[in-house]
Amino acid sequence: MGLTRVPGLLFGGDYNPEQWPEEVWQEDVRLMAEAGVNLVTVAVFSWSRIEPGPGAYEFGWLDRVLDLLHAHGIAVDLATATATPPPWLVRAHPEVRPVDAAGTRLEFGSRQGYCPSSPVFRAATVRLARAMAERYREHPALAMWHVSNEYADHTTECFCEESARDFRRWLTVRHRSLDGLNAAWGTSCWGQHYTDWAQVEPPRKAPGPVNPAQLLDWRRFSSDALLACFEAERAVLKEVTPDVPVTTNFMSVLRDLDYWAWAEGEDVVTDDAYPDPADPRAPVKAALSYDLMRSLKRQPWLLLESAPSAVSWRAVNVPKDPGVMRLHSLQALAHGSDGVMFFQWRQARYGPEKFHSAMLPHGGTGTRQWRETLALGADVRRLSEVAGSTTRAEVALLLDWDSWWGLEAPESMPTDRLRLHELLLSWYAPLHARGVAVDLAPPGRDLSGYRLVIAPNLYLCTAAHADALAAFPGQLVVGPFSGVVDAADQVHDGGAPGPLGELLGVRVEEWRPLPDGVAQEVVTADGTVLSARTWTEWLDASGAAEVLARYRGGPLDGRPAVTRRGSATYLSCLPEDPAPFLDELLATAGITGVTGPGLPAGVEACRRGPYLFLLNHGTEPATVPLPEGDRFTDLLTGRPLPAGAVTVGPCDAVVLKPRPTPEERA
């Protein structure tokens, strides 16, 4: 189900009319219409205004807002307003406030100040969601439901007694018995054997390292506890308004929530993305997060929040240079978003986000920001036909949240320098630079539609995961420190790579993490010398594996570093540049970038359906070769382009649509 009530691409942002006198609303909708806004998000933080007392609703102001927006042709992504509980609720029921790992109950005064497991909080959110749904079920402005807001942004977990009870209930379902729990958690270590469920507590602050298996289950539980909050509201919305899509906004590549599980309950995947203008890797990081959003349900998604310019929450909030807002927005469209939305419409005068940029800034309509808002709205309208088109990728990167949580457990790893997001980027960045489309996938998904699958890390690997990878017919790459533990975070018999051993034809005898600043040379079979940092392994390849590269120097001198068995390649290290291996794998798999070889540095190339997006993130003009024989029109300018190549200016983009041949026109 998509946003069927709003044709074309979406353009707009968060609208907070409750922060402004009503006479400002008329100016807002007039300027929205001028900018081409067709969707706004309303009521995200409005619980205390809608329900100022238990069961006492004041919908009049919101009625007027929705009526006004609809009268000006603007649809509404209507929030259930449950992102922050109101003061009356937390004062009447102080137990709904979250408790941190040190046992401190956090005070009211920010946002997301709730315990996800609180039955009082959950009941209040469901009651409000039902009241909202029954009030606006027939309102013509309603295009989508927006449940809560940015789950796990501030409240990731809660350590209160209610959460402890909920955790125990969750554990009884997962492990069935205390014997099952003790076996899974390995409680014979450090004298942690439990004899009663009441003895089991959340992993609060302790004198030393906490049981990593307990931490892994806690991460699973915390994701599920927040998911239960979403699902409770979603159930009410689908009961009352079954035909209205339901979403909650994700937060890009977020460690704390298993988005594969969360996406199952979303009709439309939506994302909040805030690339840092000061980070030279921002375009690559953003592209990775957008490809994840597209992959979660394998369909178009929606960029629900982004920053027109500076944000308000970094140590240094750098604004976007002229043209960057447009370029970042077009990048989201290139990677499958069916719209561009911002936080927020009108810049706030007070509160923690008063310095966060907006489509309509403090300075009003005489500003560069407003001119760029108008120009972007026009561009989005020119690209309306792109809506609904999809991307076909031949490469998949595997992302498993259990592995992520287990890999980054504190104080229990050989090194704390293995960070899964960075491991993903180490492979994604060179693919992105080559214009190769990439999906992300969980390890259990059917991978038969891909030619190349890369698992940067599968620290936690089950027999089912290994069987799925063994059944994959294409080229497979597995990164280091994979196949180490099972689903209970217990080391596989025989050591790593555990159930992947037969597939890879290797055995890891010893992990050898590298100190900061230390590099290990790796030499390929053709003599190419690479540098590996962070991680190496003492590898036994006496099975059926071919050695593609060896370590040179130090204790690992001459030992295998990169191996291959059949079509499965194993890297026991982290080369600073995996290009020699990647290029060979792409050639073997018959994969080329969307424009062929030779994509200029800083240029991003994405194909979405028949449309070819070329985005120049660099500071100099770049000439990009076009597919031989194809002729294109740039949708942004309407200009037909000659065959062969196109020049894209700095911080600029073209969106190319194939022109029909004379035969097709006939």
Side-chain angles (χ1 to χ4, degrees):
M1 181 186 296
L3 293 178
T4 54
R5 300 184 184 192
V6 185
L9 295 174
L10 302 169
F11 183 63
D14 277 42
Y15 182 40
N16 298 296
E18 65 271 33
Q19 297 180 11
W20 301 93
E22 289 201 28
E23 56 265 25
V24 176
W25 301 357
Q26 293 290 340
E27 180 186 30
D28 281 331
V29 294
R30 178 181 62 80
L31 292 175
M32 287 178 189
E34 181 181 345
V37 168
N38 57 9
L39 181 74
V40 293
T41 300
V42 174
V44 171
F45 297 110
S46 300
W47 189 342
S48 61
R49 294 292 301 274
I50 294 170
E51 189 183 12
Y57 300 108
E58 293 184 2
F59 286 116
W61 69 273
L62 188 56
D63 293 346
R64 296 192 296 276
V65 169
L66 266 61
D67 290 346
L68 183 63
L69 290 166
H70 176 66
H72 286 77
I74 301 165
V76 172
D77 166 38
L78 185 56
T80 56
T82 54
T84 295
W88 60 261
L89 179 62
V90 300
R91 295 307 177 215
H93 299 278
E95 72 277 11
V96 306
R97 291 182 285 132
V99 172
D100 67 16
T104 301
R105 190 173 294 279
L106 304 182
E107 185 48 85
F108 179 81
S110 183
R111 60 181 183 177
Q112 288 192 357
Y114 56 79
C115 164
S117 296
S118 167
V120 172
F121 173 73
R122 289 189 186 179
T125 63
V126 168
R127 184 178 67 238
L128 180 58
R130 180 174 295 279
M132 294 280 286
E134 291 176 347
R135 180 77 175 192
Y136 297 111
R137 63 194 302 174
E138 301 296 338
H139 200 288
L142 179 61
M144 182 167 67
W145 285 112
H146 178 117
V147 175
S148 190
N149 186 69
E150 294 184 335
Y151 282 106
D153 181 21
H154 300 290
T155 298
T156 302
E157 56 196 349
C158 176
F159 294 85
C160 73
E161 288 303 319
E162 190 61 61
S163 293
R165 286 188 285 271
D166 199 19
F167 186 38
R168 294 183 198 110
R169 287 190 290 268
W170 185 93
L171 291 170
T172 60
V173 173
R174 182 172 182 85
H175 299 293
R176 298 178 182 272
S177 67
L178 270 176
D179 287 343
L181 175 75
N182 282 311
W185 283 11
T187 55
S188 58
C189 179
W190 284 13
Q192 296 176 2
H193 186 80
Y194 295 102
T195 57
D196 190 291
W197 282 108
Q199 299 164 1
V200 181
E201 296 286 351
R204 299 187 180 100
K205 187 174 178 60
V210 174
N211 186 336
Q214 181 185 8
L215 287 174
L216 176 57
D217 267 353
W218 177 254
R219 290 262 52 85
R220 290 164 168 156
F221 160 75
S222 296
S223 178
D224 286 352
L226 283 166
L227 179 57
C229 294
F230 167 71
E231 289 177 334
E233 291 191 49
R234 181 187 185 276
V236 169
L237 299 174
K238 299 309 285 187
E239 174 194 337
V240 179
T241 57
D243 296 328
V244 179
V246 176
T247 192
T248 187
N249 43 339
F250 290 164
M251 297 179 65
S252 297
V253 188
L254 181 71
R255 185 181 75 98
D256 297 305
L257 301 181
D258 181 351
Y259 280 158
W260 298 120
W262 278 70
E264 293 178 7
E266 291 214 318
D267 296 313
V268 180
V269 170
T270 56
D271 186 41
D272 295 356
Y274 292 95
D276 185 354
D279 182 357
R281 294 200 301 167
V284 179
K285 294 177 180 178
L288 172 64
S289 67
Y290 297 158
D291 284 346
L292 172 61
M293 294 303 124
R294 188 192 67 240
S295 302
L296 287 171
K297 293 184 79 72
R298 290 179 278 191
Q299 66 185 34
W301 56 283
L302 176 61
L303 179 63
L304 198 60
E305 282 188 30
S306 55
S309 188
V311 299
S312 59
W313 39 264
R314 293 189 176 104
V316 178
N317 296 302
V318 176
K320 293 182 178 179
D321 289 339
V324 173
M325 177 182 76
R326 174 180 185 262
L327 190 63
H328 284 182
S329 299
L330 294 176
Q331 183 187 32
L333 298 179
H335 286 267
S337 177
D338 265 0
V340 178
M341 306 281 286
F342 294 95
F343 183 86
Q344 56 181 330
W345 161 252
R346 182 183 283 271
Q347 194 168 15
R349 292 181 57 199
Y350 49 76
E353 293 174 318
K354 61 181 177 293
F355 297 127
H356 194 294
S357 59
M359 301 171 75
L360 179 62
H362 290 146
T365 58
T367 58
R368 172 178 70 85
Q369 181 60 69
W370 176 247
R371 291 190 293 272
E372 291 201 20
T373 295
L374 293 177
L376 179 59
D379 281 337
V380 170
R381 291 192 295 276
R382 294 185 188 103
L383 299 178
S384 61
E385 65 181 79
V386 173
S389 57
T390 57
T391 298
R392 180 177 180 272
E394 296 177 309
V395 178
L397 279 178
L398 298 190
L399 169 57
D400 176 57
W401 262 268
D402 279 351
S403 278
W404 195 349
W405 294 327
L407 178 68
E408 298 187 10
E411 302 183 63
S412 66
M413 290 289 121
T415 178
D416 64 359
R417 300 300 193 263
L418 287 178
R419 317 302 290 180
L420 190 63
H421 192 195
E422 288 297 322
L423 297 177
L424 288 168
L425 283 168
S426 69
W427 286 100
Y428 183 84
L431 290 163
H432 177 266
R434 287 158 175 75
V436 175
V438 178
D439 283 347
L440 284 90
R445 178 177 286 179
D446 178 14
L447 303 170
S448 59
Y450 301 104
R451 296 187 180 188
L452 170 62
V453 170
I454 302 172
N457 175 267
L458 283 178
Y459 165 75
L460 189 155
C461 184
T462 66
H465 292 160
D467 290 344
L469 294 179
F472 172 61
Q475 295 293 312
L476 172 67
V477 179
V478 177
F481 205 46
S482 290
V484 179
V485 299
D486 61 15
D489 199 34
Q490 298 189 8
V491 175
H492 288 293
D493 289 342
L500 297 171
E502 183 177 351
L503 173 63
L504 300 175
V506 297
R507 182 170 59 88
V508 179
E509 293 192 15
E510 186 178 46
W511 297 301
R512 300 186 67 87
L514 299 174
D516 291 347
V518 175
Q520 169 71 57
E521 283 192 350
V522 176
V523 184
T524 66
D526 65 2
T528 301
V529 180
L530 305 174
S531 179
R533 295 184 183 273
T534 306
W535 187 267
T536 58
E537 295 174 354
W538 186 293
L539 200 62
D540 178 0
S542 59
E546 170 192 3
V547 177
L548 302 182
R550 295 183 183 273
Y551 294 110
R552 185 167 74 181
L556 294 177
D557 187 52
R559 299 209 61 83
V562 181
T563 63
R564 178 175 296 155
R565 183 180 189 188
S567 59
T569 300
Y570 181 66
L571 280 78
S572 69
C573 58
L574 295 176
E576 290 183 330
D577 182 7
F581 306 111
L582 180 60
D583 287 336
E584 180 191 355
L585 289 162
L586 292 173
T588 301
I591 299 170
T592 59
V594 295
T595 62
L599 193 63
V603 174
E604 181 175 10
C606 302
R607 188 176 292 279
R608 182 176 175 183
Y611 308 101
L612 177 60
F613 286 72
L614 300 175
L615 305 108
N616 185 358
H617 298 281
T619 58
E620 299 293 334
T623 299
V624 183
L626 298 177
E628 186 175 349
D630 285 352
R631 305 178 73 86
F632 296 93
T633 297
D634 179 9
L635 290 181
L636 291 171
T637 64
R639 177 170 58 97
L641 300 176
V646 61
T647 297
V648 187
C651 197
D652 200 359
V654 295
V655 181
L656 306 182
K657 177 183 180 180
R659 284 156 44 199
T661 64
E663 292 78 12
E664 290 171 334
R665 287 196 296 269

